């Protein structure tokens, strides 16, 4: 994954059948509904442009296939903010800030370079839209960085913020073994950025993936399984786990090593290991109070390491139809 790079601690957060989404409000309402049919392409002249904000450790090229699909299949003119993997090392400047060590780091000026790239992409998208409002698509950390952008530069040109696998909520305080990998950045976003809304003027849509359920290091808390999308079966495969791109059947109800390993990552984000998530970000952390919150079964976190057939990510062809209508409305 993209997070395999050696980065400062606060940078380590990131890294075919119908899928059945779940939709929830901010009051823990949960229900299932049938997957919508893929929407017909619409003219780029009538569809507002979109700007994709890359996630931590990702680069512009990781989203090229998504960009092309949105444009050619759905008529959405799309610009990806220009970010390279090496750019993320700019964040190491935070190490000399006392706030880093105190866990009270602020996005600016450390992340000004990223906000500038987003603004450049927004200006390019505005030229494509000829005065139309824009959509922001934030993947992973790109989602909460989009919230910082909106807070700093305003929302007058933006009518939709769609986040894909974004860890929106800061990790809980005071729990043993949990270190805020953002060193206070998510606390700042939570406390000082505008709250999520779903209104005619501005809509927040937060998408979470349910690819694998984590497990505690010790204990035998559940029957481990993943939602598999290969082999003509879109239902949970009980007693199966994925190693690479293949399913390995098990007869034990004990969590696998992989589930325990993933669970420790989830714990650093939300305080619990035995929760569902996309393999990196827990489902509960990817939702925001006040937003339209969606969860998709079988969806993996990142384009890096994904496979459109057996390990689809949020931007895979089988998943895009589940959320693209928000860009077209």
């Amino acid at each position: 994954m993209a997070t395999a790079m050696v980065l400062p601690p606060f940078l380590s957060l990131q890294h075919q059948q119908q899928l059945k989404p779940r939709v929830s409000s901010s009051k823990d309402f949960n229900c299932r509904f049938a997957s919508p049919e893929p929407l017909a392409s619409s003219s780029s002249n009538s569809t507002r442009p979109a700007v994709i904000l890359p996630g931590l450790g990702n680069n512009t090229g990781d989203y090229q296939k998504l960009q092309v699909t949105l444009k050619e299949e759905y008529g959405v003119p799309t610009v990806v903010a220009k970010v390279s993997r090496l750019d993320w090392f700019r964040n190491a400047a935070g190490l000399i800030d006392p706030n880093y060590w105190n866990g009270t780091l602020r996005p600016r000026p450390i992340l000004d370079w990223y906000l500038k790239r987003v603004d450049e992409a927004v200006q390019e998208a505005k030229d494509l839209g000829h005065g139309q409002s824009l959509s922001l698509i934030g993947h992973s950390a790109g989602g909460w960085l989009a919230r910082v952008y909106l807070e700093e530069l305003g929302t007058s040109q933006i009518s939709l913020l769609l986040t894909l696998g974004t860890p929106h909520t800061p990790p809980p305080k005071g729990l043993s073994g949990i270190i805020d990998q953002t060193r206070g950045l998510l606390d700042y976003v939570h406390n000082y950025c505008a709250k999520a809304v779903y209104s005619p003027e501005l809509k927040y849509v937060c998408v979470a993936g349910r690819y694998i359920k984590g497990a505690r290091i010790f204990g035998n808390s559940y029957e481990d399984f993943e939602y598999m999308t290969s082999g003509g079966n879109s239902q949970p495969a009980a007693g199966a786990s994925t190693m690479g791109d293949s399913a390995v059947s098990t007869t034990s109800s004990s969590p696998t090593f992989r589930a325990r390993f993933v669970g420790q990552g989830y714990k650093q984000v939300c305080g619990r290991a035995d929760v569902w998530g996309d393999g990196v970000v827990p489902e509960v952390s990817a939702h925001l109070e006040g937003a339209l919150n969606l969860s998709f079964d079988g969806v993996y976190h990142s384009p890096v390491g994904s496979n459109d057939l057996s390990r689809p990510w949020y931007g895979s062809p089988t998943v895009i139809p589940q959320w693209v209508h928000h860009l077209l409305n």
Side-chain angles (χ1 to χ4, degrees), residues 38-44 46-47 69-76 328:
L39 298 168
S41 296
S42 58
S43 170
S44 60
S46 61
T47 303
T69 300
L70 290 177
K71 177 62 173 68
E72 296 185 353
E73 298 294 328
Y74 301 98
V76 180
L328 305 179

Side-chain angles (χ1 to χ4, degrees), residues 26 119 205 233:
S26 58
D119 194 53
V205 178
N233 180 14

Side-chain angles (χ1 to χ4, degrees), residues 262-302:
V262 169
Q264 292 312 295
Y266 291 165
K267 184 177 179 180
Q268 295 300 313
V269 180
C270 73
R272 287 186 57 188
D274 54 343
V275 295
W276 279 98
D278 62 13
V280 174
V281 174
E283 178 183 20
V284 65
S285 299
H287 288 167
L288 267 178
E289 183 177 0
L292 174 64
N293 294 314
L294 306 172
S295 293
F296 297 148
D297 295 333
V299 176
Y300 179 64
H301 179 75
S302 176

Side-chain angles (χ1 to χ4, degrees), residues 23-44:
V23 59
S24 64
S25 73
S26 58
K27 297 183 178 180
D28 298 327
F29 169 75
N30 247 340
C31 70
R32 288 181 177 271
F33 57 89
S35 301
E37 293 296 324
L39 298 168
S41 296
S42 58
S43 170
S44 60

Side-chain angles (χ1 to χ4, degrees), residues 85-108:
R85 299 199 202 284
L86 290 177
D87 279 330
W88 293 103
F89 284 98
R90 297 168 181 261
N91 293 12
L95 293 170
I96 64 174
D97 188 333
N99 288 309
Y100 171 87
W101 304 102
N102 294 329
T104 56
L105 198 62
R106 292 172 172 250
R108 306 192 69 180

